[in-house]
Amino acid sequence: MNKTLIIMFSGILGMISCTNSGNQAPGRQDIDTEQNQMALADCNIRFDGVTFTKSLNGGDSLVNVNDSVMTFYSPEGRDIFNDPNGKLSNNTIPVILTEVDNTKPFTMSVRVEPGFTPGGTYNAAEILVFANDSLYQKLCFEQDERGSHRVVSVRTVGTSDDNNHDAIDQKSVFLKVSSDTQTIASYYSIDGLEWHMVRLYRNEYPEKMMIGLASQSPVKDGCRSIFTDLRFDQSNVKDFRMGD
């Protein structure tokens, strides 16, 4: 091997060594949540034993807590979605968030009743798992294009996918997101007892991330969502398929 090739090969090895340095868990996204394009604002909202310390897009000013009932209003035109075609991209959704240590298990569940209206396509209430505006997942009870009410999940890694799940003929459902640090999964329930898995994937969010509640109204009419029965703890479901 001539000297030029030896020098080039040594340089490549050095670059690889630098890239793989550090103790970050495999697959974990190296993202500083303080560098969000969507600016986080401080807040202090206490609801069902959970303190929400950050908000996006004025979310804290659109929330009203009365005992164990939270009403969350979204003005029309508000959404969070990174459209692969760019046409529907919108990062104006109002959100309240609490910080999560993603090196530990966690579960959040809540009963949601979105403010559905005849013209409120995509009106929804949701749980939002959030690192920044390019890395997040929302789990929604949402009104679709035909006026049906569905559980919907959207996972965003750069751009967003869009998954419509079961249609549910009632005003409210329970939503749940759970992680054992390696796996993160989403569920819904009619009664808060029997859970149905919506999606499951590898947890590649950063060690410091956030989870919260949001209300959206991308098209018109606004959406006044009601949240009750909020639960958050540092444990995960025991059976990721059954959600129990």
Side-chain angles (χ1 to χ4, degrees), residues 13-227:
L13 286 177
M15 291 173 64
I16 293 172
S17 177
C18 291
T19 301
N20 292 334
S21 64
N23 297 319
Q24 187 174 334
R28 193 73 76 195
Q29 298 289 331
D30 183 14
I31 292 173
D32 181 358
T33 56
E34 296 301 320
Q35 299 300 315
N36 298 313
Q37 295 179 29
M38 296 171 68
L40 291 167
D42 293 332
C43 69
N44 185 11
I45 297 172
R46 185 81 172 170
F47 175 50
D48 270 357
V50 179
T51 301
F52 296 90
T53 59
K54 299 289 183 181
S55 73
L56 290 171
N57 300 315
D60 57 326
S61 67
L62 299 167
V63 167
N64 180 63
V65 177
N66 185 5
D67 293 328
S68 293
V69 178
M70 185 176 77
T71 304
F72 200 152
Y73 178 71
S74 172
E76 67 178 42
R78 303 293 194 93
D79 194 9
I80 183 168
F81 187 69
N82 292 1
D83 188 359
N85 294 319
K87 297 177 181 179
L88 301 177
S89 293
N90 186 340
N91 284 329
T92 61
I93 191 172
V95 189
I96 57 172
L97 297 155
T98 188
E99 188 172 297
V100 173
D101 180 353
N102 197 29
T103 66
K104 299 177 181 179
F106 67 85
T107 299
M108 176 179 275
S109 64
V110 67
R111 182 173 179 260
V112 301
E113 183 179 334
F116 295 132
T117 67
T121 305
Y122 309 128
N123 276 14
E126 60 211 62
I127 295 177
L128 181 70
V129 178
F130 186 81
N132 64 30
D133 59 5
S134 295
L135 183 63
Y136 60 84
Q137 186 218 310
K138 59 180 179 177
L139 175 64
C140 314
F141 189 32
E142 181 177 292
Q143 182 167 306
D144 70 12
E145 297 87 345
R146 293 177 175 84
S148 297
H149 303 155
R150 294 184 176 277
V151 174
V152 174
S153 67
V154 174
R155 185 185 178 197
T156 298
V157 182
T159 58
S160 302
D161 65 19
D162 204 348
N163 289 276
N164 282 5
H165 304 283
D166 295 352
I168 299 171
D169 187 21
Q170 62 180 50
K171 293 181 178 180
S172 66
V173 298
F174 291 82
L175 302 176
K176 179 162 67 176
V177 174
S178 185
S179 169
D180 64 357
T181 75
Q182 300 299 312
T183 301
I184 189 165
S186 299
Y187 307 89
Y188 81 89
S189 173
I190 300 298
D191 56 10
L193 300 173
E194 182 178 81
W195 294 92
H196 306 274
M197 188 175 69
V198 176
R199 70 188 303 161
L200 179 151
Y201 57 93
R202 185 178 181 182
N203 185 343
E204 295 185 341
Y205 294 101
E207 294 181 358
K208 181 181 178 182
M209 54 173 275
M210 311 200 93
I211 190 168
L213 306 176
S215 184
Q216 69 178 46
S217 181
V219 179
K220 66 177 183 178
D221 293 343
C223 181
R224 192 175 304 278
S225 299
I226 297 172
F227 294 81

